[in-house]
Amino acid sequence: MIDAYEDPGTPDSRGGWAYLAWLVRCQPWRALAGAVLASVWMVLLAVAPYLLSKAVDDGLEPGDTAALAGWTAALFAVGAFNAWVSIMRHRTMTRVRMDGYFRTTKVVVGHTLRLGAALPRQAGAAEVVTIGVSDVHTIAGALTVIGPGVGSVVVYVFVAGLLLSVSPLLAAVVLLGMPVVAVLVGPLMSRLQGTETEYRERQGVLTARIGDLAGGLRVLNGLGGKELFAASFDRDSQRLRAQGYRVGAVTSWMQALGLGLPTLFLAVVTWLAARLAAQGDMTVGELVSVYGYVAVLIGPVAFLVDMGYQLSRGVVAARRVVRLLRLTPAPDTEISAGAGTGVADAPVEPSVLHDPVSGVRVAPGRLTALVGARHAEVTAVVDRIGRYGPTDATWGGVRLDAVPLDQVRDRILVADNEADLFAGSLREVVGGRLAPSPADVGRAVRAAAADDIVQGLPEGLGSPVTAQGRSLSGGQRQRVRLVRALLADPGTLLAVEPTSALDAHTEAAVAQRLRAARTGRTTVVTTTSPLLLAQADTVHYLVDGKVTATGRHHDLLEREPGYRSLVARDADDTDTDDLDPDSDPDSAADSASGGDAGGDKGTDSDTNTNTGADAGAGAGSEEVVR
């Protein structure tokens, strides 16, 4: 069985059948052993009636006690050996199924990781969840064809050969049974694939609706849209139930045929054998063996029908996996049409990032702020200079989409305020795949003004955090994300609304500590907070996605009315003139800490305070901090 750390290999993504065949090729010896053991198991089941007939004809009928004892002992030995074969067959087939299950899981998880930020743009979370929860089980079940499926075919031919030695007529009836099964079950298999595919599609849609409901219930309640959403969900549920009934109807017919056809064969062959015995063309022992042969065939024929059922469902599930595997991550070179081709290395030294679409220029080693009335327009700039989509941006004069993607990701980090948080201890959540030292963690926690979070948890950094940080408040989650970004220590940090859910006191502490923690490195923040803007070396004011004015925060307040109306707050707020970028951040933070009761603006907010129609509309809200 595949090891947890073993490379699962390169899957065959040409189609559902090709993928299932690849799973078999990945474990050839185990698959062969499963087929051999299943064939031996079923053949020995058919041998038992033959031995029983010999015991009757050679021992019981003539009264030969020695022959009867010999054939009885042989029957017992074959039965005992076959019990061991059955155990080994079941164990081997379990390993075959588990290998297919874990290999598919590793392939799907690995590919979703390679897709990275491109995944939400190409497939919904519900699609991935449905594959991981349901389809991998179905695919593993389809591999049953390797064992009982092959064994059923072998024993079917074997029994036909035994019957041929008894009566050609009975052998012909048994051999004709397989085409009858194919004719009756074949159309049902095709129909099952169609209904199963539609059912899976509707299931994915409904799963996506459940995710939307779980994530946006508060917003729906606030907007009065809960009833409308519930009605839509109810309609989708009814459609899924109706489709499930259609799948169940086809499935019930296949299962009925799997049990009914063998019984029909048993009746027909038994009747024919009884007539032959009555006419003297067959001995009593042969009659017993024929009855035993046909009784044995009940299992293989049922297996063959079930094999068709499992394969039909498995192919549908494999096609969904293949469709996911065909999604491609952003290639290393995304040169726009007409802009030339080639690959260039990233600049050795910190260099200017320039977005020609908006006119934003990010100087190295400085804190730059992007301000705009529309959240989507500002985050679109971050997407372009962070290379999360088509871009004409340059990095030190080199087109950003000409630089290998791994070099971009190593040095430019986009930290979104809605980035995913995974379950684990707080230390694991902020450390990610890194292994930061306690001193580094402490500095990052203080820079993000997250000391109170650590102190308030029962086990500090060792305390468990639920998926997406649902055990934390909105402001706490935002600061945890900032701690994670600071621990990554990228050369260029692009932070989207890093303080939008914080109260003014905590925001002031974060603003000054962030500047101090990132001294000498390039930092870009999108914000409308005067507390954060006062710390920026350069502020770009964007209107309709274009830079309208550039300067220091205080200069823009004086000469840009639009900027002033966008970022100015009530006179009661902290005076930004007191937040000198050159002042001691610790003293400012200490003065602010008295009012930091939790770090949240108002109630436990899950949403960006700069929402409205544009909240979360930017593509940057999909990115995950790495």
Side-chain angles (χ1 to χ4, degrees):
M1 193 162 56
I2 185 172
D3 185 81
Y5 301 100
E6 182 183 344
D7 181 10
T10 303
D12 191 336
S13 57
R14 291 177 296 174
W17 290 107
Y19 183 82
L20 292 178
W22 172 75
L23 289 178
V24 177
R25 292 196 303 271
C26 287
Q27 42 183 337
W29 294 111
R30 189 181 296 119
L32 179 62
V36 170
L37 288 170
S39 300
V40 171
W41 172 60
M42 289 191 174
V43 167
L44 290 180
L45 289 177
V47 168
Y50 172 79
L51 297 176
L52 184 61
S53 71
K54 287 296 183 179
V56 172
D57 287 341
D58 297 346
L60 185 61
E61 188 172 358
D64 189 342
T65 305
L68 179 62
W71 286 114
T72 301
L75 184 62
F76 175 80
V78 168
F81 177 71
N82 207 24
W84 177 82
V85 172
S86 177
I87 293 173
M88 299 306 298
R89 172 200 63 84
H90 181 75
R91 180 179 298 179
T92 303
M93 289 309 304
T94 299
R95 289 178 176 271
V96 168
R97 289 191 295 268
M98 295 304 291
D99 184 276
Y101 176 89
F102 287 118
R103 194 176 299 273
T104 299
T105 301
K106 290 194 68 173
V107 165
V108 170
V109 172
H111 192 67
T112 55
L113 290 176
R114 284 190 294 272
L115 288 172
L119 177 63
R121 297 186 177 95
Q122 302 185 60
E127 179 78 3
V128 180
V129 169
T130 303
I131 290 173
V133 172
S134 177
D135 290 336
V136 291
H137 288 280
T138 305
I139 290 172
L143 298 182
T144 303
V145 64
I146 297 172
V150 174
S152 297
V153 175
V154 172
V155 75
Y156 199 89
V157 176
F158 179 75
V159 169
L162 291 176
L163 287 174
L164 186 62
S165 64
V166 176
S167 169
L169 176 61
L170 295 178
V173 172
V174 171
L175 288 174
L176 288 175
M178 186 64 70
V180 172
V181 171
V183 169
L184 294 177
V185 176
L188 291 176
M189 289 178 60
S190 300
R191 185 177 176 186
L192 179 63
Q193 290 186 30
T195 54
E196 184 81 15
T197 299
E198 185 176 351
Y199 179 81
R200 293 293 186 185
E201 296 294 336
R202 292 186 182 277
Q203 188 180 42
V205 171
L206 197 61
T207 304
R209 289 289 179 87
I210 293 173
D212 293 341
L213 178 63
L217 187 58
R218 294 182 184 178
V219 178
L220 287 172
N221 280 329
L223 298 176
K226 183 172 66 175
E227 290 76 12
L228 180 63
F229 193 95
S232 176
F233 184 83
D234 180 67
R235 287 193 299 270
D236 287 341
S237 299
Q238 297 300 327
R239 294 191 188 101
L240 181 64
R241 185 179 66 175
Q243 186 63 27
Y245 286 152
R246 285 191 284 271
V247 173
V250 181
T251 302
S252 62
W253 273 105
M254 294 190 68
Q255 293 176 344
L257 290 174
L259 295 175
L261 287 177
T263 304
L264 180 62
F265 286 143
L266 177 63
V268 172
V269 175
T270 302
W271 179 77
L272 289 173
R275 286 184 59 86
L276 291 174
Q279 296 170 0
D281 297 331
M282 182 182 297
T283 67
V284 175
E286 288 175 336
L287 176 61
V288 172
S289 67
V290 169
Y291 184 85
Y293 295 151
V294 180
V296 167
L297 283 180
I298 292 178
V301 174
F303 270 129
L304 289 172
V305 175
D306 185 67
M307 179 184 70
Y309 169 69
Q310 295 290 351
L311 279 177
S312 298
R313 298 181 71 240
V315 168
V316 172
R319 286 171 182 166
R320 291 170 62 88
V321 171
V322 166
R323 185 169 58 187
L324 177 68
L325 296 179
R326 287 176 177 174
L327 302 180
T328 56
D332 278 355
T333 55
E334 294 180 343
I335 303 297
S336 303
T341 58
V343 178
D345 287 330
V348 177
E349 301 294 333
S351 303
V352 172
L353 277 170
H354 176 229
D355 176 35
V357 175
S358 62
V360 168
R361 297 184 68 87
V362 178
R366 297 172 68 83
L367 175 59
T368 304
L370 307 181
V371 180
R374 294 186 177 90
H375 181 72
E377 293 175 353
V378 178
T379 54
V381 177
V382 174
D383 282 348
R384 290 193 291 269
I385 62 178
R387 195 176 156 185
Y388 280 102
T391 179
D392 294 323
T394 59
W395 188 13
V398 178
R399 283 185 62 95
L400 190 61
D401 54 10
V403 178
L405 190 59
D406 57 347
Q407 295 186 26
V408 177
R409 295 290 178 259
D410 285 342
R411 295 175 55 184
I412 300 177
L413 174 66
V414 176
D416 183 63
N417 66 338
E418 293 295 333
D420 291 328
L421 293 174
F422 301 100
S425 68
L426 182 58
R427 182 181 290 103
E428 294 171 337
V429 170
V430 298
R433 61 183 179 183
L434 306 174
S437 66
D440 291 337
V441 175
R443 284 191 292 269
V445 166
R446 178 159 181 77
D451 311 73
D452 63 304
I453 301 176
V454 177
Q455 295 167 3
L457 293 174
E459 300 178 36
L461 288 169
S463 301
V465 176
T466 58
Q468 302 301 339
R470 300 190 190 281
S471 55
L472 305 173
S473 69
Q476 289 174 332
R477 288 196 293 271
Q478 194 166 52
R479 284 178 286 162
V480 167
R481 292 184 178 103
L482 184 56
V483 172
R484 182 172 61 179
L486 292 174
L487 277 174
D489 195 26
T492 300
L493 173 62
L494 311 179
V496 179
E497 297 289 351
T499 62
S500 59
L502 306 182
D503 60 59
H505 297 286
T506 309
E507 194 172 27
V510 171
Q512 294 218 359
R513 294 177 185 180
L514 176 63
R515 177 184 175 87
R518 296 287 300 172
T519 299
R521 280 162 292 183
T522 306
T523 306
V524 177
V525 295
T526 69
T527 184
T528 56
S529 165
L531 300 171
L532 194 55
L533 291 170
Q535 301 296 319
D537 299 305
T538 304
V539 178
H540 293 298
Y541 173 48
L542 286 78
V543 177
D544 295 330
K546 307 289 184 182
V547 175
T548 300
T550 298
R552 295 295 294 266
H553 170 61
H554 298 293
D555 297 335
L556 294 178
L557 282 176
E558 294 177 358
R559 58 186 174 86
E560 290 292 334
Y563 178 85
R564 183 168 57 252
S565 64
L566 178 63
V567 305
R569 296 183 178 178
D570 294 337
D572 293 337
D573 281 355
T574 303
D575 187 357
T576 58
D577 290 334
D578 295 335
L579 295 176
D580 188 345
D582 297 325
S583 64
D584 182 5
D586 288 339
S587 62
D590 293 338
S591 65
S593 61
D596 186 6
D600 295 4
K601 286 184 177 178
T603 59
D604 179 8
S605 172
D606 288 343
T607 57
N608 190 327
T609 57
N610 295 324
T611 53
D614 296 313
S621 63
E622 298 172 347
E623 314 308 343
V624 178
V625 175
R626 291 171 178 78

Short mmCIF file of all heavy atoms in Angstrom, two decimals, residues 168-217:
data_model
loop_
_atom_site.label_atom_id
_atom_site.label_comp_id
_atom_site.label_asym_id
_atom_site.label_seq_id
_atom_site.Cartn_x
_atom_site.Cartn_y
_atom_site.Cartn_z
N PRO A 168 -23.84 -31.52 -22.57
CA PRO A 168 -23.63 -30.36 -23.44
C PRO A 168 -24.80 -29.39 -23.39
O PRO A 168 -24.61 -28.17 -23.53
CB PRO A 168 -23.47 -30.99 -24.83
CG PRO A 168 -23.01 -32.38 -24.56
CD PRO A 168 -23.69 -32.80 -23.28
N LEU A 169 -26.00 -29.90 -23.20
CA LEU A 169 -27.18 -29.02 -23.14
C LEU A 169 -27.08 -28.07 -21.95
O LEU A 169 -27.33 -26.86 -22.09
CB LEU A 169 -28.45 -29.86 -23.05
CG LEU A 169 -29.77 -29.07 -22.88
CD1 LEU A 169 -29.99 -28.16 -24.08
CD2 LEU A 169 -30.94 -30.03 -22.69
N LEU A 170 -26.73 -28.60 -20.79
CA LEU A 170 -26.61 -27.75 -19.61
C LEU A 170 -25.48 -26.74 -19.78
O LEU A 170 -25.60 -25.58 -19.36
CB LEU A 170 -26.36 -28.61 -18.38
CG LEU A 170 -27.48 -29.56 -17.96
CD1 LEU A 170 -27.07 -30.38 -16.75
CD2 LEU A 170 -28.76 -28.77 -17.67
N ALA A 171 -24.36 -27.17 -20.38
CA ALA A 171 -23.25 -26.25 -20.61
C ALA A 171 -23.66 -25.11 -21.53
O ALA A 171 -23.29 -23.94 -21.32
CB ALA A 171 -22.06 -26.99 -21.19
N ALA A 172 -24.45 -25.42 -22.56
CA ALA A 172 -24.89 -24.39 -23.49
C ALA A 172 -25.80 -23.38 -22.79
O ALA A 172 -25.71 -22.16 -23.02
CB ALA A 172 -25.63 -25.03 -24.67
N VAL A 173 -26.68 -23.87 -21.90
CA VAL A 173 -27.56 -22.95 -21.18
C VAL A 173 -26.76 -22.01 -20.30
O VAL A 173 -27.03 -20.80 -20.24
CB VAL A 173 -28.57 -23.76 -20.33
CG1 VAL A 173 -29.36 -22.83 -19.41
CG2 VAL A 173 -29.51 -24.53 -21.22
N VAL A 174 -25.75 -22.55 -19.61
CA VAL A 174 -24.93 -21.71 -18.74
C VAL A 174 -24.13 -20.70 -19.54
O VAL A 174 -24.03 -19.51 -19.19
CB VAL A 174 -24.00 -22.59 -17.88
CG1 VAL A 174 -23.00 -21.72 -17.12
CG2 VAL A 174 -24.80 -23.41 -16.91
N LEU A 175 -23.54 -21.15 -20.66
CA LEU A 175 -22.73 -20.23 -21.47
C LEU A 175 -23.57 -19.13 -22.10
O LEU A 175 -23.10 -18.01 -22.30
CB LEU A 175 -21.99 -21.01 -22.56
CG LEU A 175 -20.84 -21.90 -22.07
CD1 LEU A 175 -20.29 -22.72 -23.22
CD2 LEU A 175 -19.75 -21.03 -21.45
N LEU A 176 -24.83 -19.45 -22.42
CA LEU A 176 -25.70 -18.42 -22.99
C LEU A 176 -26.18 -17.42 -21.94
O LEU A 176 -26.71 -16.38 -22.28
CB LEU A 176 -26.92 -19.08 -23.66
CG LEU A 176 -26.65 -19.83 -24.97
CD1 LEU A 176 -27.90 -20.53 -25.44
CD2 LEU A 176 -26.14 -18.87 -26.03
N GLY A 177 -25.98 -17.78 -20.67
CA GLY A 177 -26.44 -16.87 -19.62
C GLY A 177 -25.69 -15.56 -19.60
O GLY A 177 -26.27 -14.50 -19.33
N MET A 178 -24.38 -15.59 -19.91
CA MET A 178 -23.59 -14.36 -19.87
C MET A 178 -24.06 -13.32 -20.89
O MET A 178 -24.23 -12.15 -20.55
CB MET A 178 -22.12 -14.68 -20.08
CG MET A 178 -21.19 -13.48 -19.91
SD MET A 178 -21.24 -12.85 -18.22
CE MET A 178 -20.41 -14.18 -17.35
N PRO A 179 -24.29 -13.67 -22.15
CA PRO A 179 -24.83 -12.68 -23.09
C PRO A 179 -26.17 -12.12 -22.64
O PRO A 179 -26.47 -10.95 -22.86
CB PRO A 179 -24.95 -13.47 -24.40
CG PRO A 179 -23.95 -14.56 -24.28
CD PRO A 179 -23.93 -14.93 -22.83
N VAL A 180 -27.00 -12.98 -22.02
CA VAL A 180 -28.30 -12.49 -21.53
C VAL A 180 -28.09 -11.42 -20.46
O VAL A 180 -28.76 -10.38 -20.45
CB VAL A 180 -29.13 -13.67 -20.97
CG1 VAL A 180 -30.40 -13.14 -20.29
CG2 VAL A 180 -29.49 -14.63 -22.09
N VAL A 181 -27.13 -11.67 -19.56
CA VAL A 181 -26.83 -10.68 -18.53
C VAL A 181 -26.35 -9.38 -19.16
O VAL A 181 -26.77 -8.28 -18.76
CB VAL A 181 -25.76 -11.23 -17.56
CG1 VAL A 181 -25.29 -10.14 -16.61
CG2 VAL A 181 -26.33 -12.40 -16.77
N ALA A 182 -25.45 -9.48 -20.15
CA ALA A 182 -24.92 -8.28 -20.81
C ALA A 182 -26.03 -7.49 -21.50
O ALA A 182 -26.07 -6.26 -21.45
CB ALA A 182 -23.84 -8.68 -21.81
N VAL A 183 -26.95 -8.21 -22.17
CA VAL A 183 -28.03 -7.53 -22.88
C VAL A 183 -28.96 -6.80 -21.92
O VAL A 183 -29.42 -5.68 -22.18
CB VAL A 183 -28.81 -8.55 -23.74
CG1 VAL A 183 -30.10 -7.92 -24.28
CG2 VAL A 183 -27.95 -9.03 -24.90
N LEU A 184 -29.21 -7.42 -20.77
CA LEU A 184 -30.15 -6.82 -19.82
C LEU A 184 -29.51 -5.72 -18.97
O LEU A 184 -30.16 -4.73 -18.65
CB LEU A 184 -30.72 -7.90 -18.91
CG LEU A 184 -31.62 -8.95 -19.59
CD1 LEU A 184 -32.06 -10.00 -18.59
CD2 LEU A 184 -32.84 -8.28 -20.22
N VAL A 185 -28.26 -5.92 -18.61
CA VAL A 185 -27.60 -4.98 -17.69
C VAL A 185 -26.90 -3.86 -18.43
O VAL A 185 -26.78 -2.74 -17.91
CB VAL A 185 -26.61 -5.74 -16.78
CG1 VAL A 185 -25.84 -4.78 -15.88
CG2 VAL A 185 -27.33 -6.78 -15.95
N GLY A 186 -26.43 -4.10 -19.65
CA GLY A 186 -25.67 -3.09 -20.40
C GLY A 186 -26.37 -1.74 -20.50
O GLY A 186 -25.80 -0.70 -20.14
N PRO A 187 -27.62 -1.69 -20.99
CA PRO A 187 -28.31 -0.38 -21.06
C PRO A 187 -28.46 0.28 -19.69
O PRO A 187 -28.42 1.51 -19.58
CB PRO A 187 -29.67 -0.75 -21.65
CG PRO A 187 -29.43 -2.03 -22.38
CD PRO A 187 -28.41 -2.76 -21.58
N LEU A 188 -28.66 -0.53 -18.65
CA LEU A 188 -28.79 0.05 -17.32
C LEU A 188 -27.48 0.69 -16.85
O LEU A 188 -27.48 1.71 -16.16
CB LEU A 188 -29.22 -1.03 -16.32
CG LEU A 188 -30.64 -1.56 -16.48
CD1 LEU A 188 -30.90 -2.69 -15.50
CD2 LEU A 188 -31.66 -0.44 -16.28
N MET A 189 -26.34 0.09 -17.24
CA MET A 189 -25.05 0.67 -16.88
C MET A 189 -24.87 2.03 -17.52
O MET A 189 -24.42 2.99 -16.88
CB MET A 189 -23.92 -0.27 -17.30
CG MET A 189 -23.81 -1.54 -16.48
SD MET A 189 -22.50 -2.64 -17.07
CE MET A 189 -21.07 -1.57 -16.89
N SER A 190 -25.22 2.15 -18.81
CA SER A 190 -25.11 3.45 -19.49
C SER A 190 -26.03 4.48 -18.85
O SER A 190 -25.65 5.63 -18.65
CB SER A 190 -25.45 3.28 -20.97
OG SER A 190 -24.57 2.37 -21.59
N ARG A 191 -27.25 4.05 -18.53
CA ARG A 191 -28.19 4.98 -17.91
C ARG A 191 -27.71 5.39 -16.53
O ARG A 191 -27.85 6.56 -16.12
CB ARG A 191 -29.56 4.32 -17.81
CG ARG A 191 -30.63 5.27 -17.27
CD ARG A 191 -31.98 4.59 -17.25
NE ARG A 191 -32.98 5.48 -16.66
CZ ARG A 191 -34.24 5.12 -16.40
NH1 ARG A 191 -34.63 3.89 -16.72
NH2 ARG A 191 -35.08 5.96 -15.84
N LEU A 192 -27.12 4.43 -15.79
CA LEU A 192 -26.62 4.75 -14.46
C LEU A 192 -25.51 5.79 -14.53
O LEU A 192 -25.45 6.70 -13.69
CB LEU A 192 -26.11 3.48 -13.77
CG LEU A 192 -25.52 3.68 -12.37
CD1 LEU A 192 -26.58 4.20 -11.41
CD2 LEU A 192 -24.92 2.37 -11.84
N GLN A 193 -24.61 5.69 -15.50
CA GLN A 193 -23.54 6.67 -15.63
C GLN A 193 -24.10 8.07 -15.85
O GLN A 193 -23.63 9.05 -15.28
CB GLN A 193 -22.62 6.29 -16.78
CG GLN A 193 -21.76 5.06 -16.51
CD GLN A 193 -20.76 4.81 -17.61
OE1 GLN A 193 -20.28 5.74 -18.25
NE2 GLN A 193 -20.43 3.54 -17.83
N GLY A 194 -25.14 8.17 -16.70
CA GLY A 194 -25.74 9.49 -16.95
C GLY A 194 -26.42 10.06 -15.73
O GLY A 194 -26.21 11.23 -15.38
N THR A 195 -27.25 9.26 -15.05
CA THR A 195 -27.96 9.76 -13.88
C THR A 195 -27.00 10.04 -12.73
O THR A 195 -27.17 11.00 -11.98
CB THR A 195 -29.03 8.75 -13.43
OG1 THR A 195 -28.41 7.46 -13.23
CG2 THR A 195 -30.12 8.62 -14.48
N GLU A 196 -25.97 9.19 -12.59
CA GLU A 196 -24.99 9.39 -11.52
C GLU A 196 -24.19 10.67 -11.75
O GLU A 196 -23.90 11.42 -10.81
CB GLU A 196 -24.05 8.19 -11.45
CG GLU A 196 -23.06 8.24 -10.30
CD GLU A 196 -23.64 7.80 -8.99
OE1 GLU A 196 -24.73 7.20 -8.99
OE2 GLU A 196 -23.02 8.07 -7.94
N THR A 197 -23.84 10.94 -13.02
CA THR A 197 -23.10 12.16 -13.32
C THR A 197 -23.91 13.40 -12.97
O THR A 197 -23.40 14.34 -12.34
CB THR A 197 -22.74 12.20 -14.82
OG1 THR A 197 -21.90 11.07 -15.13
CG2 THR A 197 -21.99 13.47 -15.17
N GLU A 198 -25.19 13.40 -13.37
CA GLU A 198 -26.04 14.55 -13.06
C GLU A 198 -26.22 14.69 -11.55
O GLU A 198 -26.24 15.81 -11.02
CB GLU A 198 -27.39 14.40 -13.75
CG GLU A 198 -28.29 15.62 -13.58
CD GLU A 198 -29.59 15.49 -14.35
OE1 GLU A 198 -29.71 14.54 -15.16
OE2 GLU A 198 -30.47 16.35 -14.16
N TYR A 199 -26.35 13.56 -10.86
CA TYR A 199 -26.51 13.61 -9.41
C TYR A 199 -25.29 14.22 -8.75
O TYR A 199 -25.40 15.05 -7.84
CB TYR A 199 -26.76 12.20 -8.87
CG TYR A 199 -26.91 12.13 -7.37
CD1 TYR A 199 -28.12 12.45 -6.76
CD2 TYR A 199 -25.84 11.76 -6.57
CE1 TYR A 199 -28.27 12.39 -5.38
CE2 TYR A 199 -25.98 11.70 -5.19
CZ TYR A 199 -27.19 12.02 -4.60
OH TYR A 199 -27.33 11.97 -3.24
N ARG A 200 -24.10 13.83 -9.20
CA ARG A 200 -22.86 14.37 -8.63
C ARG A 200 -22.76 15.87 -8.88
O ARG A 200 -22.29 16.63 -8.03
CB ARG A 200 -21.66 13.66 -9.23
CG ARG A 200 -21.54 12.20 -8.85
CD ARG A 200 -21.24 12.04 -7.39
NE ARG A 200 -20.98 10.65 -7.03
CZ ARG A 200 -20.80 10.22 -5.81
NH1 ARG A 200 -20.85 11.06 -4.80
NH2 ARG A 200 -20.57 8.94 -5.56
N GLU A 201 -23.17 16.30 -10.06
CA GLU A 201 -23.10 17.74 -10.37
C GLU A 201 -24.03 18.52 -9.44
O GLU A 201 -23.65 19.55 -8.89
CB GLU A 201 -23.50 17.98 -11.83
CG GLU A 201 -22.55 17.37 -12.85
CD GLU A 201 -21.17 18.00 -12.82
OE1 GLU A 201 -21.06 19.15 -12.37
OE2 GLU A 201 -20.21 17.34 -13.25
N ARG A 202 -25.24 18.04 -9.28
CA ARG A 202 -26.19 18.73 -8.39
C ARG A 202 -25.71 18.68 -6.94
O ARG A 202 -25.91 19.62 -6.18
CB ARG A 202 -27.57 18.09 -8.50
CG ARG A 202 -28.24 18.32 -9.85
CD ARG A 202 -29.67 17.80 -9.85
NE ARG A 202 -30.31 17.96 -11.14
CZ ARG A 202 -30.89 19.09 -11.56
NH1 ARG A 202 -30.89 20.14 -10.76
NH2 ARG A 202 -31.45 19.15 -12.74
N GLN A 203 -25.07 17.58 -6.57
CA GLN A 203 -24.54 17.47 -5.21
C GLN A 203 -23.46 18.51 -4.97
O GLN A 203 -23.39 19.12 -3.89
CB GLN A 203 -23.98 16.05 -5.00
CG GLN A 203 -23.58 15.75 -3.56
CD GLN A 203 -23.03 14.35 -3.42
OE1 GLN A 203 -22.27 13.88 -4.26
NE2 GLN A 203 -23.44 13.65 -2.38
N GLY A 204 -22.60 18.74 -5.98
CA GLY A 204 -21.57 19.76 -5.86
C GLY A 204 -22.16 21.15 -5.71
O GLY A 204 -21.68 21.97 -4.92
N VAL A 205 -23.21 21.43 -6.48
CA VAL A 205 -23.87 22.75 -6.38
C VAL A 205 -24.46 22.95 -4.99
O VAL A 205 -24.31 24.01 -4.38
CB VAL A 205 -24.97 22.87 -7.46
CG1 VAL A 205 -25.81 24.12 -7.23
CG2 VAL A 205 -24.35 22.90 -8.85
N LEU A 206 -25.10 21.91 -4.47
CA LEU A 206 -25.72 22.04 -3.16
C LEU A 206 -24.66 22.18 -2.06
O LEU A 206 -24.85 22.92 -1.10
CB LEU A 206 -26.60 20.82 -2.88
CG LEU A 206 -27.62 20.98 -1.75
CD1 LEU A 206 -28.61 22.10 -2.08
CD2 LEU A 206 -28.37 19.67 -1.53
N THR A 207 -23.56 21.47 -2.20
CA THR A 207 -22.47 21.61 -1.23
C THR A 207 -21.93 23.03 -1.24
O THR A 207 -21.61 23.60 -0.18
CB THR A 207 -21.34 20.62 -1.55
OG1 THR A 207 -21.87 19.30 -1.59
CG2 THR A 207 -20.25 20.69 -0.49
N ALA A 208 -21.81 23.62 -2.42
CA ALA A 208 -21.36 25.01 -2.52
C ALA A 208 -22.35 25.94 -1.82
O ALA A 208 -21.95 26.90 -1.15
CB ALA A 208 -21.19 25.41 -3.98
N ARG A 209 -23.65 25.67 -1.99
CA ARG A 209 -24.65 26.50 -1.31
C ARG A 209 -24.52 26.39 0.20
O ARG A 209 -24.68 27.38 0.93
CB ARG A 209 -26.05 26.07 -1.75
CG ARG A 209 -26.40 26.44 -3.17
CD ARG A 209 -26.61 27.94 -3.31
NE ARG A 209 -26.93 28.32 -4.67
CZ ARG A 209 -28.16 28.34 -5.18
NH1 ARG A 209 -29.17 27.98 -4.42
NH2 ARG A 209 -28.36 28.72 -6.42
N ILE A 210 -24.25 25.20 0.69
CA ILE A 210 -24.09 25.02 2.14
C ILE A 210 -22.89 25.82 2.63
O ILE A 210 -22.95 26.46 3.70
CB ILE A 210 -23.92 23.52 2.46
CG1 ILE A 210 -25.21 22.77 2.15
CG2 ILE A 210 -23.54 23.33 3.93
CD1 ILE A 210 -25.09 21.27 2.28
N GLY A 211 -21.79 25.79 1.86
CA GLY A 211 -20.62 26.60 2.24
C GLY A 211 -20.93 28.08 2.26
O GLY A 211 -20.51 28.81 3.17
N ASP A 212 -21.66 28.54 1.25
CA ASP A 212 -22.05 29.96 1.22
C ASP A 212 -22.92 30.31 2.42
O ASP A 212 -22.78 31.38 3.02
CB ASP A 212 -22.81 30.27 -0.07
CG ASP A 212 -21.91 30.16 -1.30
OD1 ASP A 212 -20.68 30.21 -1.14
OD2 ASP A 212 -22.46 30.03 -2.41
N LEU A 213 -23.84 29.41 2.75
CA LEU A 213 -24.73 29.66 3.88
C LEU A 213 -23.96 29.74 5.19
O LEU A 213 -24.17 30.64 6.01
CB LEU A 213 -25.78 28.55 3.96
CG LEU A 213 -26.77 28.63 5.12
CD1 LEU A 213 -27.61 29.89 5.01
CD2 LEU A 213 -27.67 27.40 5.14
N ALA A 214 -23.02 28.79 5.38
CA ALA A 214 -22.25 28.78 6.62
C ALA A 214 -21.37 30.01 6.75
O ALA A 214 -21.19 30.55 7.84
CB ALA A 214 -21.37 27.51 6.69
N GLY A 215 -20.82 30.47 5.62
CA GLY A 215 -19.90 31.60 5.68
C GLY A 215 -20.59 32.96 5.69
O GLY A 215 -19.99 33.94 6.11
N GLY A 216 -21.83 33.04 5.22
CA GLY A 216 -22.47 34.34 5.09
C GLY A 216 -23.79 34.49 5.81
O GLY A 216 -24.61 35.33 5.45
N LEU A 217 -24.02 33.63 6.83
CA LEU A 217 -25.30 33.68 7.51
C LEU A 217 -25.54 35.02 8.19
O LEU A 217 -26.65 35.56 8.16
CB LEU A 217 -25.38 32.55 8.54
CG LEU A 217 -26.73 32.35 9.22
CD1 LEU A 217 -27.81 32.08 8.19
CD2 LEU A 217 -26.67 31.19 10.23
#
